[in-house]
Amino acid sequence: MTPTDFVAARATYRNISENIAKIMRGQGAATRHLLAALAAGGHVLLEDYPGTGKTTLAKALAKSIDAQFKRLQFTPDLLPSDILGVSIFDQRDQQFHFHEGPVFTNILLADEINRASPRTQSALLEAMGEAQVSVEGERRNLPDLFFVIATENPVEFRGTYPLPEAQMDRFAMQFTLGYVSPAEEVAILTAQAHNHPIDELQPAATLADVLALKRAVENIRISDELKRYAVDLVAATRTATGVQLGASPRASIALMKTAQAEALFDGFDFVTPEQLQKLAVPVIAHRLVLEPQARFSGGSARSVVEGILKKLPVPA
Amino acid sequence: MKTPPCLLFATLLFWGWQSGMLLVGALAGLVLEAAWVFKWRWDLEDVDFNRIWSFCFLVLVALSGYIFSTNDEGGGLSGMVHGRTVHNATISSTVTYTTVMRSLPLIFFPFIVAQIYNVRSSVPLTAVSLVLRWRRRRGERSLAGHYLDVSYPYFIVCVFAAGIHPNQATHTYFWGQCVLILWALWMLRARRFGLKHWAIAFAAVVALGFLGQFGISQAERMVQNFNAQWMARLFGPKTDAAQSVTAIGQIGRLKLSPRIVIRLEPRKVGVVPGYLREASYRTYSSRNQTWFAGGSLNDFSSVHQEPDNITWVLLPRADADAVSIACYLNGRSQDGDHEGVLPLPTGCSRLENLPAETSVIALQTNKMGTVLATGSGLMIFDARYGRSATIDSPPDITSTNNDLTVITNEIPALNQVIAEMNLTATNDAENLFAVERFFASKFSYSTWQGPAKRATNASPVTRFLLNSRSGHCEYFATATVLLLRQLGIPARYAVGYSVHETSGSGYVVRERDAHAWCLAWNRATRTWDDFDTTPGSWMAIEGRQSAFADWLSDARSWIGFQIAKLRWRQAHLRQYILWTLSPVLAVLVYYIIFQRRTKARPSKSNAAMEAAVIWPGHDSAFYRLEKRLAAGELPRPPGEPLADWLERALAEPALASLRRPLQELLQLHYRYRFDPNGLNDREQEILVQKVDGVLATLSQK
């Protein structure tokens, strides 16, 4: 990996980021998190109120990359075979043919993922964990770039199924978009006066560029001391008060990889403590299961991780 | 706090009133109720509650230990080992129990304060239970997050503590607690029942409670009155030199405990006195079955110690036989010192190895052979004795109530018995022999007395002599004394102990070995001789009652004896206990407070061992800069990364001009620290130089 590769990778990131910024006004941080997860090979869960632009962000990313994009609207009657694919008997040649489901794509938007039953949600476990699916006893690999953006709505309880812990753990990051400032909202209104700008969005990077970006991220250096810091951060969640289930080693891995991506975006060739700290909440918080008592007394997973960040001495 | 406002204040006030600590109760209540006014709160963690609870518990244990070991009212350690009466054996536990129970609201006051002034108004369940805490420590996560509001339990504790030794005459406690409980329950009542139902239910409970406690106190009084004399005997511990109330005429079984009260160690193997006499009496009153020492003979005169300060001479002669005696004094003199009658062998002439001042304050004797000692609770001494004159006065045959007086209403029965014995002898010795034989052949030993078969006006002694012919030692001794007197032999009634049970190289005397016999005047030797007509089977019969678990109480008694020896040889034991307790408490308190630190130490040392792996770049010159800036008003919290901290520092106008060089320095430092490729020598030099430059600029400013 030469310095020019890093420069090219950074250019890819900048291009995609600027392309998305045309659509997603005032969501620079969220875009950055999204791209960090993409470059680190993780998946993203967007949790926010309806209308904040979750789907738009996902679509903008998909459009910015010249890659295959599929969108899956999760509904209560969705079945695992609707995601993975199914073998259908062809009367002409008297044989079963496997019809790939929407999971066979580069970027998959799993919209309102918590509307499907846990049975259907679990269909994604293998795909997200190992980039492969096993259907009818046969293993099928997914494309090199396989990126899931799932969205969910936190305010609804009726007709929704909370994601199982195992599924939550498969997401490298979970973050929210939040409402934008009034000025930016006015700009959004102006931009959408005639038609949606997303329709005119052109790809800013090819699939190869993104794969190169992923390779560059893998080559960002990280010292043993910071690996240890990441492990300590994650381990601290397992003993924190009010936490029933702490984060897994998968969280440490995700934290390291996304921090590498973040370092690349920051223009570093190596990871610094700030990048680990910046990503600790979106990477770790959604994996924690709090004790009911802690939840009722106003505690949140986010505050637990923030508390650990404050308490644990950071390498300096 | 879930209790309604002012309930805890009222309860503590009530408790203070009932237990004589009104001011303390009022202050404690005010502290608790102030939480309604002041809104500030502590933010205590679970572990803090664990510590506070442990502290309260330790105070409880230490207080119990201190009170138990030092309370002197016939209790304490000496009370435990006395074993002389039921009363003394239990009083120390009772005193400890009542004092500790009464102080419960104060002991657990820190705990309730911690809860009430905490952000979360409940305490973790793991704090109050060591078992749960232990299970939690073993990793049972399910226990986490269980919280308990202890304000109602504390309320119950206060009400309970106020009820220790209430004033029964006025019933203030009963009605006071009724009001408090009404108040507390009112707030908790189930709303689905009407007020009427609730009031009726509460009134019913109050009525039942009142009747219950009234009934209990009535029953208690009835039992106490049932046989006041017998109770007086059981609960009135000490031998009185002036009178001996006997159990003659009482119906039922006479029970005595197997507790060890005296220990003997013969100086010469096998030579041990058969009886240890405590006192003797002259006059019998058949009206209340009591023997009196009577008249001026009961007056005591002091014995003075010899110049060596450890010897007390009762009779000026040198006897060969000696026995070491250990006994307890369980009476009280007017000055509050321990006082009691010493059990001594007949013909005791001197007491040796009995230090004046430390053991004995005063030693007195009377003409009835009683030796009264005042001093420490435990007496250990050597008694020298021989078969010759005793300190008793010779028989008095001149005064109205003399050593030959027989009460008139017993005379017919005595004469009838004498006729039955068909005495032919002319001298005293043969008469004594005949009397002994008569009792041995015609009478039996029994601790059981049935009611008279038909109504009769006959006295108990008459019934014993003519009808039942069975009884315990007091019957035999009383009857014998009267019989001998009727035969013209001066006689006295003696009480003390029979010595017959060996234990190791010595002898032990149990409470049930208490005995009564008679002293017969020997005209030939001019001495008082022990004359015992109680059938020898009495020891076997008493021994048969010994319970299987006696060895346990014997072992306890032995341990208690050793402790008592320690205690009474040490005049300042109380201070010693306090001084011993305080460091123990201090160590425990230290342990509680620093428990987390000590527990964390192993993992810390683990971390320290790992920290021994020195991460690259620890010698970066940038740290000098950080130290310099942090020394000002910019300390860096442990969780804040350098970049964020530097950004904060650069917000200071004084440093604004240094923004660029400082950020470059940080980049270099970061590469040095966190880039696995690190810095080359040249870059390291640049880092040092730049830091020096910035430091120089800073010092100029």
Side-chain angles (χ1 to χ4, degrees):
Chain A
M1 181 81 24
T2 61
T4 48
D5 292 336
F6 283 128
V7 173
R10 253 168 232 140
T12 308
Y13 155 70
R14 214 173 305 118
N15 291 341
I16 301 173
S17 173
E18 282 165 6
N19 211 38
I20 294 174
K22 288 179 197 163
I23 311 296
M24 298 298 297
R25 289 169 196 277
Q27 298 286 10
T31 312
R32 197 179 168 94
H33 283 335
L34 184 74
L35 291 177
L38 171 74
H43 308 282
V44 162
L45 177 63
L46 294 175
E47 188 185 81
D48 218 325
Y49 303 111
T52 47
K54 300 183 295 288
T55 313
T56 312
L57 177 64
K59 279 164 78 179
L61 174 71
K63 281 213 157 189
S64 299
I65 302 169
D66 188 12
Q68 214 182 354
F69 168 72
K70 279 184 187 157
R71 180 203 165 118
L72 191 53
Q73 185 67 43
F74 277 61
T75 54
D77 60 347
L78 197 74
L79 293 173
S81 57
D82 296 335
I83 298 175
L84 303 177
V86 66
S87 290
I88 292 172
F89 186 73
D90 191 336
Q91 287 193 338
R92 277 174 296 183
D93 55 4
Q94 296 286 304
Q95 277 193 333
F96 280 97
H97 291 287
F98 182 69
H99 289 248
E100 289 185 344
V103 77
F104 291 88
T105 183
N106 294 124
I107 297 173
L108 175 69
L109 170 60
D111 213 8
E112 312 233 19
I113 191 170
N114 56 344
R115 286 195 184 278
S117 68
R119 175 186 173 209
T120 311
Q121 289 171 3
S122 332
L124 277 173
L125 283 179
E126 190 188 0
M128 289 170 67
E130 294 155 59
Q132 65 176 39
V133 289
S134 301
V135 186
E136 293 165 7
E138 200 178 325
R139 199 183 72 188
R140 292 163 200 277
N141 285 326
L142 296 176
D144 284 345
L145 177 68
F146 174 66
F147 182 52
V148 176
I149 308 172
T151 69
E152 71 172 358
N153 193 334
V155 289
E156 288 179 57
F157 291 104
R158 287 181 198 145
T160 61
Y161 302 89
L163 290 180
E165 287 81 20
Q167 180 82 51
M168 289 299 263
D169 203 24
R170 295 295 195 287
F171 287 104
M173 274 200 215
Q174 186 214 44
F175 53 88
T176 59
L177 299 180
Y179 296 113
V180 293
S181 67
E184 276 157 348
E185 207 167 325
V186 169
I188 293 170
L189 296 186
T190 314
Q192 296 195 10
H194 301 292
N195 55 351
H196 203 292
I198 200 160
D199 299 335
E200 292 153 15
L201 203 64
Q202 296 300 315
T206 62
L207 187 58
D209 290 338
V210 176
L211 291 176
L213 173 65
K214 277 181 80 175
R215 270 197 305 280
V217 164
E218 283 161 14
N219 282 291
I220 293 290
R221 298 183 291 275
I222 176 163
S223 70
D224 287 344
E225 189 180 2
L226 290 185
K227 282 181 200 158
R228 178 63 203 242
Y229 178 59
V231 168
D232 287 345
L233 274 179
V234 170
T237 63
R238 295 170 203 154
T239 51
T241 44
V243 176
Q244 202 167 27
L245 180 69
S248 63
R250 192 182 272 142
S252 326
I253 298 168
L255 182 58
M256 181 186 78
K257 288 191 169 175
T258 49
Q260 282 174 307
E262 189 78 17
L264 180 85
F265 300 167
D266 280 344
F268 283 94
D269 300 345
F270 58 92
V271 177
T272 68
E274 287 79 11
Q275 284 130 18
L276 286 170
Q277 283 211 342
K278 212 186 288 173
L279 289 166
V281 172
V283 171
I284 299 173
H286 66 283
R287 300 167 203 260
L288 305 185
V289 179
L290 293 193
E291 280 163 359
Q293 201 70 38
R295 254 198 337 266
F296 294 144
S297 53
S300 68
R302 189 188 172 86
S303 61
V304 168
V305 179
E306 281 170 347
I308 291 169
L309 282 175
K310 265 188 202 148
K311 264 189 201 164
L312 196 69
V314 62
Chain B
M1 173 155 61
K2 277 192 203 146
T3 45
C6 295
L7 176 64
L8 282 182
F9 175 72
T11 313
L12 278 166
L13 205 63
F14 178 64
W15 165 78
W17 175 39
Q18 290 290 313
S19 51
M21 292 186 273
L22 190 62
L23 195 66
V24 178
L27 278 177
L30 277 179
V31 169
L32 295 187
E33 296 301 332
W36 294 101
V37 182
F38 300 113
K39 291 299 170 201
W40 58 264
R41 291 291 182 267
W42 288 312
D43 188 6
L44 296 175
E45 290 178 21
D46 289 6
V47 65
D48 297 317
F49 279 105
N50 291 357
R51 285 174 189 165
I52 295 168
W53 178 264
S54 303
F55 176 77
C56 295
F57 198 73
L58 274 180
V59 170
L60 176 74
V61 171
L63 189 70
S64 314
Y66 181 72
I67 295 171
F68 185 77
S69 56
T70 58
N71 87 65
D72 243 350
E73 294 307 314
L77 290 177
S78 66
M80 190 172 81
V81 300
H82 254 261
R84 187 139 177 182
T85 63
V86 180
H87 182 66
N88 264 6
T90 53
I91 193 166
S92 109
S93 327
T94 315
V95 168
T96 310
Y97 171 79
T98 51
T99 316
V100 171
M101 287 300 143
R102 206 182 291 155
S103 329
L104 277 182
L106 278 189
I107 294 173
F108 289 102
F109 187 67
F111 196 66
I112 185 80
V113 167
Q115 177 196 292
I116 285 179
Y117 283 95
N118 191 28
V119 179
R120 181 209 298 271
S121 61
S122 55
V123 301
L125 203 57
T126 47
V128 296
S129 162
L130 281 177
V131 176
L132 288 184
R133 220 187 280 181
W134 179 68
R135 282 172 56 186
R136 175 83 208 265
R137 227 173 272 161
R138 281 182 59 209
E140 286 183 36
R141 302 188 68 93
S142 59
L143 293 167
H146 291 289
Y147 287 83
L148 180 77
D149 185 323
V150 292
S151 49
Y152 271 110
Y154 185 75
F155 163 78
I156 294 168
V157 165
C158 291
V159 172
F160 171 72
I164 304 290
H165 283 193
N167 184 352
Q168 285 189 341
T170 56
H171 294 297
T172 49
Y173 171 71
F174 182 80
W175 295 115
Q177 56 112 5
C178 279
V179 170
L180 289 173
I181 291 172
L182 175 80
W183 186 350
L185 288 181
W186 174 256
M187 308 308 288
L188 296 173
R189 72 187 191 280
R191 311 284 158 140
R192 66 198 165 104
F193 296 109
L195 190 61
K196 205 167 69 183
H197 292 106
W198 189 83
I200 289 170
F202 190 83
V205 169
V206 168
L208 278 175
F210 186 78
L211 287 177
Q213 63 110 32
F214 184 73
I216 286 172
S217 69
Q218 286 299 308
E220 204 175 54
R221 214 165 291 161
M222 208 166 77
V223 168
Q224 276 174 355
N225 290 341
F226 181 64
N227 197 333
Q229 250 187 354
W230 194 345
M231 285 288 174
R233 187 184 159 81
L234 281 178
F235 289 109
K238 50 186 196 258
T239 300
D240 190 341
Q243 59 173 15
S244 170
V245 180
T246 70
I248 290 174
Q250 285 167 29
I251 290 166
R253 186 170 296 283
L254 191 70
K255 276 185 199 156
L256 288 169
S257 102
R259 288 206 186 81
I260 295 170
V261 286
I262 302 169
R263 290 165 189 274
L264 285 93
E265 194 76 42
R267 288 275 152 257
K268 217 189 285 173
V269 179
V271 180
V272 66
Y275 298 98
L276 293 176
R277 184 179 7 138
E278 286 191 325
S280 64
Y281 307 92
R282 282 199 316 164
T283 314
Y284 178 64
S285 157
S286 65
R287 195 160 50 85
N288 45 14
Q289 283 80 41
T290 302
W291 279 95
F292 295 95
S296 60
L297 294 181
N298 191 33
D299 295 341
F300 283 95
S301 57
S302 291
V303 179
H304 295 288
Q305 73 267 35
E306 294 298 288
D308 65 359
N309 260 344
I310 54 166
T311 308
W312 308 73
V313 174
L314 305 178
L315 287 170
R317 68 166 190 249
D319 288 318
D321 293 342
V323 62
S324 176
I325 298 174
C327 65
Y328 302 101
L329 302 186
N330 50 2
R332 284 290 173 160
S333 73
Q334 283 171 347
D335 298 334
D337 296 310
H338 288 263
E339 182 185 71
V341 173
L342 296 183
L344 296 173
T346 311
C348 178
S349 58
R350 44 201 284 146
L351 308 180
E352 293 171 350
N353 293 324
L354 184 60
E357 307 295 333
T358 56
S359 275
V360 179
I361 299 167
L363 205 65
Q364 295 167 296
T365 59
N366 72 357
K367 297 289 182 193
M368 302 300 291
T370 304
V371 178
L372 185 69
T374 311
S376 65
L378 177 70
M379 292 274 155
I380 303 177
F381 56 89
D382 294 337
R384 287 200 170 275
Y385 64 99
R387 284 189 59 81
S388 56
T390 60
I391 55 171
D392 303 75
S393 61
D396 170 20
I397 45 176
T398 51
S399 61
T400 42
N401 262 330
N402 60 43
D403 291 315
L404 282 172
T405 306
V406 180
I407 16 175
T408 41
N409 60 350
E410 308 288 3
I411 291 175
L414 292 170
N415 283 337
Q416 199 177 329
V417 168
I418 291 168
E420 188 184 338
M421 279 195 286
N422 197 14
L423 289 175
T424 52
T426 49
N427 63 5
D428 288 352
E430 282 178 28
N431 276 344
L432 286 175
F433 183 66
V435 168
E436 196 171 1
R437 214 176 39 206
F438 171 70
F439 276 110
S441 58
K442 301 275 172 64
F443 287 71
S444 66
Y445 182 80
S446 166
T447 51
W448 167 259
Q449 283 294 315
K453 289 210 175 67
R454 58 178 189 277
T456 167
N457 284 331
S459 75
V461 174
T462 303
R463 271 212 310 277
F464 168 71
L465 283 172
L466 302 180
N467 306 96
S468 69
R469 297 208 161 172
S470 135
H472 62 271
C473 56
E474 288 173 338
Y475 281 97
F476 283 96
T478 305
T480 310
V481 170
L482 298 180
L483 197 59
L484 291 184
R485 286 181 180 178
Q486 187 66 13
L487 288 170
I489 304 171
R492 284 176 182 172
Y493 175 86
V495 296
Y497 295 91
S498 156
V499 182
H500 56 89
E501 186 181 343
T502 57
S503 164
S505 61
Y507 288 78
V508 291
V509 176
R510 299 178 187 277
E511 194 178 343
R512 64 163 181 251
D513 295 331
H515 194 43
W517 63 97
C518 99
L519 299 176
W521 180 248
N522 187 330
R523 289 182 223 271
T525 57
R526 296 192 60 77
T527 55
W528 288 101
D529 291 346
D530 290 327
F531 181 63
D532 190 0
T533 51
T534 309
S537 63
W538 77 272
M539 295 171 204
I541 291 174
E542 292 286 355
R544 206 182 299 150
Q545 294 172 355
S546 64
F548 174 70
D550 271 3
W551 64 270
L552 197 69
S553 86
D554 285 1
R556 202 189 74 169
S557 163
W558 183 83
I559 292 167
F561 176 61
Q562 301 303 327
I563 295 172
K565 273 210 288 197
L566 262 182
R567 173 183 177 154
W568 294 114
R569 295 280 155 91
Q570 298 286 3
H572 303 291
L573 184 84
R574 185 181 292 219
Q575 282 93 320
Y576 291 153
I577 287 181
L578 200 62
W579 282 115
T580 328
L581 267 180
S582 343
V584 169
L585 254 187
V587 167
L588 288 174
V589 165
Y590 175 87
Y591 176 71
I592 290 168
I593 293 174
F594 298 100
Q595 198 179 21
R596 189 197 291 175
R597 223 164 280 176
T598 41
K599 271 190 80 73
R601 209 165 278 156
S603 63
K604 224 179 198 174
S605 68
N606 254 347
M609 272 166 69
E610 285 173 13
V613 183
I614 293 167
W615 301 111
H618 70 283
D619 55 346
S620 169
F622 189 84
Y623 291 129
R624 283 193 281 140
L625 196 58
E626 189 200 349
K627 205 171 163 189
R628 169 69 198 271
L629 290 176
E633 287 103 42
L634 287 164
R636 185 175 67 84
E640 189 178 29
L642 272 181
D644 294 0
W645 169 76
L646 195 63
E647 203 52 46
R648 216 151 47 83
L650 289 174
E652 302 251 319
L655 295 176
S657 60
L658 287 172
R659 173 174 285 274
R660 207 178 161 75
L662 279 174
Q663 279 177 341
E664 280 172 12
L665 266 177
L666 183 67
Q667 297 290 331
L668 265 181
H669 168 71
Y670 266 8
R671 276 185 59 203
Y672 189 35
R673 286 280 284 119
F674 302 121
D675 188 350
N677 290 354
L679 294 181
N680 57 30
D681 293 347
R682 175 88 192 100
E683 287 168 325
Q684 285 188 34
E685 270 175 36
I686 292 174
L687 176 65
V688 175
Q689 282 167 8
K690 282 193 172 178
V691 167
D692 288 340
V694 171
L695 281 176
T697 320
L698 279 175
S699 52
Q700 279 168 16
K701 288 188 176 180

